[in-house]
Amino acid sequence: MTTPRTTTPRTTAAPTVHRVAPRGRGAHRTIAAAVRAAADGDEIRIAPGEYVELLVLDRAVRLLPDDGPEHAVRVLAAAPGRPVLEVTASGVRVDGLALTGQDPALPAVLAVAGGLALTGCAVSGGRVEAAGEAALTMADCRVVRAELAAVHANTSGAVRLTRVLVEDVDGTGVVVGSAADTRAEELTVRRVTGSGIRVRGRARAELRGCRISGPGRSGLLVEDDATVAAVDCRVAETGAEGVRVLGSSPRGTQEDGGVVLTGCELLRTGTDGVAVSGSGDVLLVDCRVRDGAGPGVGAEDEGRAELVDCQVERTHGSGLVARGNARLAARGTSVSGSRANGLLAGGRSRVSVAAGDVTSSTFSAVHACDDAQVTLTACRIGATPEHGIRATDRAELTVEGGRVADCGLAGVRIDTAAHARVRSLSVVRGQSGITAESTGTVVLEECDVTDAERAGISCGTGTAPVLRDCRVSGSGTAGLVIGERATPSVEGCTVRDASGSGVVVGPGAEPRITALTVARTGKNSVFVGERARGTFEECVFAGAGGDGTAFAAVHVSAGGAPVLRGCVVRDTAEDVALEKGARPVFDDCVSRGVKNAALPTGPQSALPATAGGDTAAGTSARETEAPAEDTLEDLLAELDGLAGLARVKHDVSSLVKLMRTVRRREDMGLAPPPLSRHLVFAGNPGTGKTTVARLYGRILAAVGLLERGHLVEADRSALVGEYVGHTGPKTQRVFEQARGGVLFIDEAYALSAYAGTNDFGQEAIATLVKLMEDHRDDVVVIVAGYPKEMEVFVRSNPGLASRFTRTLLFEDYGTAELVEIVEHQAAQHQYELTGPGREALAAHFAALVKDRGFGNGRAARQLFQAMTERQAYRVAELPEATAADLMTLRPEDLP
């Protein structure tokens, strides 16, 4: 290494130009000779050609081509083991030269002191290295065919890399070490066998708009106490992690601290998109991690990872992973399409996810195991063939708000010895709702479980969960199942519209149940198993055996000895059924509106009427008969009285005018115009589609275009059979049931949603199309469902497209319309909202998340029902309740 030379700067204003050329007068024959003759600030202009040199730049000179095309000046190292260019002085500039070393594993360009600026240069056969305290600036340069590294900034000086291309390197693209202060903009690293960029030691690196593709190892590797800030960078096609953070200092201990990625993309990584270990710390803001062969973002050991407004998509491993003692936090982040879990937390890790989406994973969307602690706040989870959320082993789960939907197994499963506190969670459409199989502490508060295929909430064998103010509706089997020897505490909960029993108490169980309401169940309100005990206090059991079968509200098996205090049985055929050996205790219990009552009876008090009618014999479709006294004016007034639906009202009114004209033509003996009366009703749940369909049939009957105008409601299960030859007759029976009226098929796209040779949905569609053609004047068919799905459904079959030419769009209700629905319900059932109550109700609806699964009018009706129940509890505590007290709904009656 050459010792730096002390020079005296020139006092002249203009630099001296020294020329280098292979021949000609007045020119140096070598670049080295020109350097020796130059002073600080001089220029050395080099004629095109090839020069074999060992250049030591110990003064502030500028080297540049004298003329010719790009890189016409080629400088080759004169000896092995030596760089072609060595810099020991400040202010050295080299422009537009091609510099080639002899040994790719050694520096081709070396700055040991001072400062070097390379502009538009091509370096090959060795790396560019800055050592000691040297400063390095590279702009519009290319470094190729190096080994170990292409650029090595092992300096405490400043390093600036702008529009630098690094490629074809047998090693790491760029290494930043020591205490280098590095800024790289639009740096491109590709086709390197090692990592793309490696930052270590106490170095600081700022990366903007950089592109790293095809590294053999990590795209970005951060080690030791280094800190990195990357903005708008892209890492793709890595051999290992997209970003690997190993043992860097935590964010906050240095000025910029840790590793911060903002607006970056990590695509198709060989393993993790981002991996943090040791004491590493990384923050991702507005980043996208997609299509990696491993997890999306993983933290282990003592590592920390935080994601803000990020997207993690289609990872081959889990989307987010925390192990060891790691800390992982995500806010406003979506995780979708993971081939494993959406979120996996193990070891003693701590994980928090707020306002995030975790959907479409192959395994459970959220899985907490070992001793992990997981907190989920206002998250949307689901669309998985397994569980939405599972906590197992000794994990601790906290859920506050949010929604779990469309899970192949349980929406939430808590098992082994896990602990869980779940509050204000909505669970919709899964094999089961919430399953508590854990011997640990489990508390469920204000949770909603809707439309589970099996049980809404299950308490496993020997468990003792606490349920407060939970609501279960539409369960395919029982609403609440209490397993063998379980001892849960159930307070203020509601079970409605279960296809099976409302509450099933397993053998030997001993629950403590207070203020439970069970309404409209297919079987018993409560089924108490053999040797089961427990207490039921201040409970209401209404509408048991809703399908017309003879099920008692309370059924007690042999050896069962429950105690019921202050309970009411309402609106059912039979209040109590006891097997031989049953020993229940009824204390101050009454029956109202019960045909065969064993309990003392009180005044009848029927439940509010519900939509839908009796089950027709031979089919599973529901039929609602149209009143005989309907007039067209009354029906149009009834339509106009519905909340909202301005667009639908206009469309129906236009159709009525059209139908009346058709009828007049027929009355005059004229041929009717070619007109399809079949309709598509497109809208989200609860927007009034069934109500309007019922009115539409009655209107057509009033106009004289339908004989009866009744409504028959059907879905896939009513039309599609289970074996060859079953579907056609089944569909025809339902169609015959609708003759003279309206056949309303909800979620009609389910007929074509199932692929495979054993599905008979297409046969049902073909049968319907033929029947609609054969009986075009006898039946009006309305297909209904979500807008996009209905559009795809109608286009899926030419016969459907030609028969369903008109779509009515049912828009979501606004806040004012939802309040109007509640007020209408209140007036129907002799309740009144106070002014403050109306304002609180409007604020409640305005704050609700109205996503695809929002219930619209159904949600408003359910809320009214909940308000009346809470009002009943409130009024019950008044010493002397007046009629006004019994009729008034106040803000405090809102859930």
Side-chain angles (χ1 to χ4, degrees):
M1 184 178 296
T2 303
T3 304
R5 183 180 72 92
T6 302
T7 61
T8 303
R10 291 185 171 208
T11 58
T12 56
T16 299
V17 177
H18 304 268
R19 300 188 183 278
V20 179
R23 62 183 64 84
R25 296 180 61 184
H28 298 282
R29 295 294 178 258
T30 67
I31 303 171
V35 171
R36 288 193 295 271
D40 285 344
D42 285 355
E43 287 186 357
I44 299 174
R45 293 184 174 270
I46 309 166
E50 188 173 284
Y51 300 83
V52 180
E53 305 256 6
L54 289 177
L55 297 178
V56 177
L57 304 184
D58 56 359
R59 60 206 72 192
V61 295
R62 180 185 181 192
L63 277 59
L64 68 163
D66 196 17
D67 203 356
E70 184 182 25
H71 303 147
V73 176
R74 300 182 301 280
V75 185
L76 285 67
R82 294 287 303 278
V84 64
L85 177 65
E86 183 175 337
V87 176
T88 64
S90 299
V92 175
R93 297 171 59 188
V94 179
D95 300 344
L97 304 188
L99 307 170
T100 304
Q102 283 200 16
D103 189 342
L106 296 175
V109 176
L110 174 63
V112 296
L116 169 63
L118 296 175
T119 304
C121 293
V123 180
S124 62
R127 64 180 174 271
V128 177
E129 180 171 335
E133 298 179 356
L136 173 65
T137 299
M138 298 176 66
D140 300 307
C141 293
R142 181 169 177 251
V143 185
V144 299
R145 294 190 298 280
E147 294 180 5
L148 302 181
V151 178
H152 188 184
N154 192 32
T155 176
S156 59
V159 178
R160 301 292 180 261
L161 307 176
T162 306
R163 296 181 300 279
V164 173
L165 171 62
V166 172
E167 61 183 348
D168 299 325
V169 177
D170 186 9
T172 302
V174 176
V175 178
V176 181
S178 186
D181 180 6
T182 301
R183 182 181 303 156
E185 296 189 21
E186 299 182 41
L187 167 67
T188 299
V189 179
R190 62 194 185 199
R191 297 195 301 273
V192 299
T193 61
S195 297
I197 300 175
R198 182 181 184 185
V199 187
R200 61 187 184 184
R202 302 185 311 280
R204 298 157 55 90
E206 181 182 336
L207 311 176
R208 289 186 176 272
C210 297
R211 298 292 182 264
I212 303 170
S213 62
R217 301 182 69 181
S218 303
L220 170 62
L221 174 61
V222 184
E223 299 174 288
D224 307 324
D225 296 319
T227 62
V228 173
V231 180
D232 296 332
C233 295
R234 186 175 187 269
V235 178
E237 309 287 355
T238 61
E241 305 89 351
V243 176
R244 175 72 169 168
V245 183
L246 177 61
S248 67
S249 58
R251 274 182 289 123
T253 62
Q254 300 187 29
E255 183 179 344
D256 294 328
V259 177
V260 181
L261 310 178
T262 305
C264 296
E265 287 187 306
L266 306 168
L267 311 177
R268 299 180 297 280
T269 54
T271 55
D272 305 50
V274 177
V276 189
S277 59
S279 58
D281 192 345
V282 64
L283 167 64
L284 292 85
V285 180
D286 194 25
C287 293
R288 189 173 187 184
V289 181
R290 190 179 69 191
D291 297 321
V297 177
E300 59 185 10
D301 302 330
E302 303 292 333
R304 289 178 54 195
E306 182 178 356
L307 298 87
V308 179
D309 298 330
C310 294
Q311 296 176 353
V312 180
E313 301 173 331
R314 300 193 300 270
T315 57
H316 194 81
S318 297
L320 304 177
V321 178
R323 294 189 176 94
N325 291 308
R327 303 291 183 265
L328 188 149
R331 185 171 71 254
T333 292
S334 66
V335 180
S336 63
S338 302
R339 295 280 295 276
N341 303 111
L343 165 63
L344 172 61
R348 300 183 63 84
S349 62
R350 294 185 181 180
V351 177
S352 65
V353 181
D357 293 350
V358 185
T359 59
S360 303
S361 58
T362 301
F363 300 158
S364 297
V366 176
H367 185 93
C369 59
D370 302 329
D371 296 286
Q373 298 179 19
V374 174
T375 300
L376 307 173
T377 306
C379 293
R380 292 170 292 274
I381 294 168
T384 169
E386 294 195 355
H387 305 292
I389 303 171
R390 185 185 181 192
T392 188
D393 300 330
R394 299 161 303 282
E396 296 183 16
L397 172 69
T398 302
V399 180
E400 184 70 33
R403 187 172 189 265
V404 177
D406 302 311
C407 299
L409 299 177
V412 179
R413 179 178 175 84
I414 307 143
D415 58 39
T416 317
H419 304 278
R421 180 174 293 274
V422 183
R423 186 174 183 273
S424 300
L425 178 67
S426 174
V427 180
V428 182
R429 294 187 303 274
Q431 186 183 77
S432 55
I434 301 176
T435 302
E437 298 276 354
S438 173
T439 57
T441 301
V442 177
V443 179
L444 310 177
E445 297 181 286
E446 299 180 9
C447 293
D448 285 302
V449 178
T450 307
D451 296 335
E453 294 177 14
R454 297 181 184 174
I457 298 178
S458 299
C459 309
T461 301
T463 61
V466 175
L467 284 66
R468 299 192 186 101
D469 299 316
C470 294
R471 294 166 292 277
V472 179
S473 62
S475 301
T477 56
L480 171 61
V481 175
I482 299 170
E484 188 173 355
R485 302 188 310 280
T487 57
S489 173
V490 182
E491 305 171 16
C493 295
T494 303
V495 176
R496 298 184 186 278
D497 301 310
S499 297
S501 296
V503 179
V504 174
V505 183
E510 193 167 350
R512 299 178 303 281
I513 300 177
T514 306
L516 169 70
T517 298
V518 181
R520 297 189 299 270
T521 55
K523 296 182 179 179
N524 310 108
S525 295
V526 177
F527 181 93
V528 180
E530 295 179 358
R531 304 179 311 281
R533 302 174 63 85
T535 58
F536 296 79
E537 297 185 353
E538 305 296 331
C539 298
V540 176
F541 307 123
D547 60 358
T549 53
F551 285 96
V554 179
H555 181 105
V556 184
S557 302
V563 176
L564 292 86
R565 296 191 182 96
C567 296
V568 177
V569 178
R570 294 167 45 185
D571 309 311
T572 187
E574 185 179 7
D575 52 5
V576 178
L578 305 180
E579 294 183 12
K580 184 177 181 179
R583 305 185 309 278
V585 175
F586 295 91
D587 182 7
D588 197 24
C589 298
V590 297
S591 292
R592 296 173 181 168
V594 175
K595 295 179 182 178
N596 301 311
L599 298 173
T601 59
Q604 291 190 6
S605 178
L607 289 173
T610 57
D614 297 332
T615 300
T619 77
S620 57
R622 293 189 300 170
E623 180 177 327
T624 304
E625 186 61 63
E629 67 276 9
D630 282 339
T631 67
L632 181 59
E633 290 72 19
D634 291 340
L635 292 170
L636 292 176
E638 186 176 343
L639 174 68
D640 191 59
L642 297 177
L645 303 177
R647 183 171 176 177
V648 171
K649 293 173 184 176
H650 177 271
D651 290 345
V652 172
S653 297
S654 299
L655 283 170
V656 169
K657 294 175 183 177
L658 187 60
M659 297 301 178
R660 295 182 79 172
T661 301
V662 171
R663 185 61 180 171
R664 287 171 184 168
R665 286 181 60 87
E666 290 177 340
D667 291 343
M668 294 180 182
L670 300 174
L675 176 69
S676 175
R677 296 178 292 179
H678 309 302
L679 298 174
V680 177
F681 281 9
N684 290 328
T687 49
K689 297 187 293 295
T690 307
T691 300
V692 173
R694 191 176 293 113
L695 273 172
Y696 185 61
R698 293 161 62 191
I699 287 170
L700 292 183
V703 173
L705 293 180
L706 284 178
E707 181 181 350
R708 292 173 56 194
H710 65 295
L711 182 79
V712 173
E713 298 176 58
D715 57 14
R716 176 185 166 88
S717 65
L719 302 172
V720 178
E722 300 174 5
Y723 50 85
V724 175
H726 188 202
T727 296
K730 191 173 184 180
T731 302
Q732 188 161 0
R733 282 197 299 272
V734 174
F735 194 89
E736 287 296 328
Q737 185 183 343
R739 287 279 291 271
V742 173
L743 174 57
F744 181 80
I745 305 175
D746 198 13
E747 295 187 349
Y749 35 77
L751 295 174
S752 61
Y754 297 84
T757 57
N758 293 326
D759 180 67
F760 307 109
Q762 293 297 334
E763 182 184 348
I765 292 174
T767 304
L768 272 175
V769 169
K770 185 177 187 305
L771 290 170
M772 290 165 67
E773 180 64 27
D774 294 344
H775 305 281
R776 63 176 65 188
D777 296 328
D778 297 336
V779 176
V780 169
V781 179
I782 297 176
V783 290
Y786 289 108
K788 288 184 179 180
E789 284 85 340
M790 291 307 303
E791 183 180 352
V792 173
F793 169 69
V794 172
R795 290 205 310 261
S796 69
N797 183 294
L800 294 175
S802 63
R803 286 160 179 81
F804 292 101
T805 59
R806 191 184 302 271
T807 297
L808 271 60
L809 181 62
F810 288 71
E811 297 172 335
D812 289 340
Y813 290 117
T815 296
E817 294 163 338
L818 292 168
V819 172
E820 183 182 345
I821 292 172
V822 173
E823 289 183 314
H824 181 73
Q825 290 281 305
Q828 268 193 326
H829 297 96
Q830 295 182 303
Y831 286 92
E832 293 180 358
L833 279 165
T834 63
R838 190 175 295 104
E839 293 174 3
L841 184 64
H844 176 86
F845 282 128
L848 286 178
V849 176
K850 300 179 181 66
D851 56 11
R852 176 183 168 102
F854 177 63
N856 281 288
R858 186 180 304 123
R861 290 187 291 272
Q862 290 172 346
L863 180 62
F864 167 71
Q865 201 164 26
M867 290 177 70
T868 61
E869 292 168 5
R870 292 174 66 92
Q871 185 249 30
Y873 301 147
R874 174 174 58 80
V875 172
E877 297 177 358
L878 298 176
E880 294 185 6
T882 66
D885 291 329
L886 293 169
M887 295 175 63
T888 303
L889 296 175
R890 303 180 182 277
E892 54 265 34
D893 298 326
L894 275 167

